[in-house]
Structure formats: C-alpha cells, structure tokens
Amino acid sequence: MNRALLGLLAMAILTGGTCSRERVESMNQMNEGVGYAQQKRYVDAVRSFERATAIDPTNEQAFYNLALVHIELRTFERAKDDLNQAIAVNGQVAGYHEKLGTVFIQLEDWNRAKESFEKAIELDPQLFKAYFKLAQVLEQLEDYQTALQRYTESIERGPRFIEAYTELGRLYADLSRIYTEPQYLQMAAQVLESGLEVAMQGTEEQAHLHHLLGTVYQEQRSYEQAIRHFRSALEIVPGMRDALFSLGWTYSLVDNREEARRFLKKFVDIAGGDAPEHYVKAARDRLGELSVN
C-alpha cells in the first residue's frame, strides 16, 4: 500500500463525529477496516468499511476509506460510487473532490475530472496537487494555455513540488514543437532551472530535471550546456537510459565520435525489451554511421 493511502486511512482512527450508538459501532467497524487495509487484507477491509457505512450511512469517512481501498484494487467504478456517497454526506471536503477527480482520470472521463478538481480548488485554493492534476486533464482536453497556468499555480502553492516543474517545463518544450515559437523553449529552460534550485541533491527527480533541461538546450543547439546536464543526470543515475541516448546523440552532433560511440553503445547494451524501438534503431543506425565514417 502506498504511503498516502496509509496516512489517510490512519487519520480515520483519530476522528469520531457524533457519539450516537450507531456512529460508535460504525467507527469501530471502520477502524477495523483500517487495520485490515494496513495489512493489505483488502477483501476484509472492504467488508468492514461496507459494514460501517451500512450501520451509519452518514459516516463519510467510511465511504472515503472504502474508496481508497477500491483505488488500491483498481476497481475505479466502485471507488467513484464511494466518493460520490461521501460527497453526498459532506460536499465541503476538498480532498473528496480531489480524489474523485483522480478516479475520473483513471476512467479517462476528462470533463468530469476537470469539474472535480475545480471544485476541490474552490473549496481549498491551496491544494497544489489539485492544480497539478487539473493541468494534466487540461492537456488531455488540448487546452494548453490554461494547463500552463494551472501548472504554474501548482508551483506557486507548492514550491517544492518537483513534478510540477518537470511537467510545466516539458509542456513548454512540447508547445515549442507545435507552434515553433522559440520563447517556449526559453520558458522551458527557465522553469527547469528553477526546479533544480529546489530539488533535493542526488535524487532521481533532480536527474530527470537535468535530462529534460539537457533536451531543451539540445533543441536550442546549445550543445555544451546540453552535454553538461546529461552528464549531471548520469552522475546521479548512472544507468539512466534516456540520458545515455541523449548524451551519445549530442556528442555525435558536435562530431565527438569517440564519446558518441561510447554512450550510444551503453544505451544499446542496457536498452532492454521495454525501450522504445525507434530509439534503439536510431542509436544503432548512428553507431553504424560513426563506425563507417
């Protein structure tokens, strides 16, 4: 079970609501379900949470925790129903709407996901992950300009949330290819550099930022900067396939054939069956060219 699920489930033990007999029995069943969920006994957890909701249909936390287990089991239609029940009891909890939006993402119901995240933000304007997920949904709806705004707002409210920097920088870079506007690449570089300022040293998140920033500089034909960032990514994660390919490819662009062959060969050697075939083919083709010339 993921850490977020454990934390949210555990919160239920500490809260009670009214002191009616039904509520007490319902809370006991719910807390029993929490214990089962923490042991990954999900079938037993579902049974206990369902008993809790049957005893007291106003126990919104039981519906919410039931939804969390259904999400863990990837039974998203059930999770959607559970969350709608929690919201019917108390529609003023931002977290319920945010989690419902997350479920709608899994169901690829983009318009309802958008509505859910917007409601979560209305109830809690500081909920930075709701802005982030809303931006992801807006990309699916091809509303790219608003997605840029929402990613930015996620960073403003969660300045150490590295995923927002990564996705905002990536979207700016993607838009530069769609609209061939150089300022998008400049914005991508600016965002990713800002992410590096707050990223924890030596983490995969930091390595990923270095790699993305390297690709931006490569597109700008700032090859020395690109190489520096690809090498920084590999210093953190030596087997990072994307960085190996990108570094080898960039060395080939500056006609450093020895280093190009070295890193492209490393990429091919560790690519594995799940590597994108077009990248593997491109690397092999370029290695062939470098060997002939």
Side-chain angles (χ1 to χ4, degrees):
M1 184 185 300
N2 63 55
R3 186 177 300 175
L5 178 57
L6 276 171
L8 289 166
L9 287 168
M11 285 174 61
I13 300 174
L14 305 178
T15 57
T18 64
C19 296
S20 69
R21 180 176 178 180
E22 290 79 10
R23 174 51 63 95
V24 170
E25 290 180 4
S26 179
M27 291 299 294
N28 287 338
Q29 285 293 325
M30 183 179 69
N31 291 333
E32 183 179 87
V34 169
Y36 287 137
Q38 291 173 334
Q39 298 170 49
K40 299 186 180 182
R41 294 171 58 182
Y42 297 132
V43 173
D44 291 329
V46 167
R47 189 178 297 115
S48 292
F49 289 139
E50 286 179 342
R51 287 198 198 106
T53 61
I55 294 167
D56 182 0
T58 69
N59 187 345
E60 66 199 69
Q61 293 175 346
F63 284 115
Y64 181 69
N65 284 293
L66 181 57
L68 294 180
V69 174
H70 279 141
I71 290 170
E72 194 74 9
L73 294 170
R74 302 190 66 78
T75 51
F76 296 113
E77 286 288 349
R78 295 286 300 275
K80 179 188 72 174
D81 294 341
D82 301 332
L83 289 163
N84 278 324
Q85 291 277 12
I87 289 168
V89 176
N90 183 0
Q92 299 305 302
V93 179
Y96 296 171
H97 294 279
E98 189 270 342
K99 194 62 69 178
L100 181 58
T102 303
V103 168
F104 280 132
I105 286 178
Q106 294 294 330
L107 295 172
E108 298 186 2
D109 191 338
W110 309 115
N111 286 308
R112 288 186 180 175
K114 178 175 178 287
E115 292 172 3
S116 295
F117 291 129
E118 287 176 340
K119 183 62 177 179
I121 289 167
E122 176 188 327
L123 292 169
D124 184 358
Q126 300 306 313
L127 202 61
F128 62 90
K129 288 189 179 180
Y131 291 92
F132 176 80
K133 293 178 183 179
L134 177 55
Q136 293 180 309
V137 169
L138 291 166
E139 283 197 68
Q140 293 292 329
L141 295 172
E142 299 184 359
D143 186 354
Y144 300 122
Q145 295 303 318
T146 310
L148 290 172
Q149 180 182 344
R150 296 296 178 246
Y151 280 132
T152 301
E153 289 169 330
S154 178
I155 290 170
E156 289 171 349
R157 288 161 176 80
R160 302 195 70 83
F161 183 44
I162 301 302
E163 284 184 72
Y165 294 93
T166 300
E167 291 304 301
L168 179 57
R170 189 265 315 153
L171 180 55
Y172 272 124
D174 288 348
L175 292 178
S176 76
R177 302 179 194 107
I178 295 171
Y179 299 115
T180 62
E181 296 286 347
Q183 65 266 27
Y184 282 125
L185 277 180
Q186 294 167 8
M187 291 300 298
Q190 181 179 328
V191 168
L192 295 169
E193 290 280 12
S194 296
L196 283 174
E197 291 177 6
V198 298
M200 290 184 63
Q201 296 294 311
T203 61
E204 288 191 17
E205 287 181 329
Q206 186 190 33
H208 191 44
L209 283 168
H210 276 298
H211 177 256
L212 278 177
L213 192 51
T215 64
V216 170
Y217 284 129
Q218 186 196 76
E219 289 189 50
Q220 291 178 320
R221 300 186 179 182
S222 299
Y223 297 131
E224 288 187 11
Q225 288 177 288
I227 287 169
R228 177 167 59 84
H229 282 287
F230 293 142
R231 294 191 76 102
S232 293
L234 289 169
E235 285 173 9
I236 299 167
V237 183
M240 188 175 183
R241 291 186 312 193
D242 290 347
L244 287 169
F245 175 86
S246 298
L247 182 56
W249 195 268
T250 307
Y251 272 128
S252 76
L253 294 176
V254 298
D255 205 31
N256 186 334
R257 299 185 179 193
E258 182 180 350
E259 290 293 82
R261 283 193 294 265
R262 183 160 75 95
F263 286 102
L264 287 173
K265 186 176 185 305
K266 281 186 178 181
F267 167 75
V268 170
D269 288 345
I270 70 166
D274 60 334
E277 182 56 35
H278 61 285
Y279 277 103
V280 177
K281 183 179 185 303
R284 286 175 174 157
D285 289 347
R286 183 57 60 93
L287 280 168
E289 295 168 5
L290 292 167
S291 297
V292 171
N293 296 329

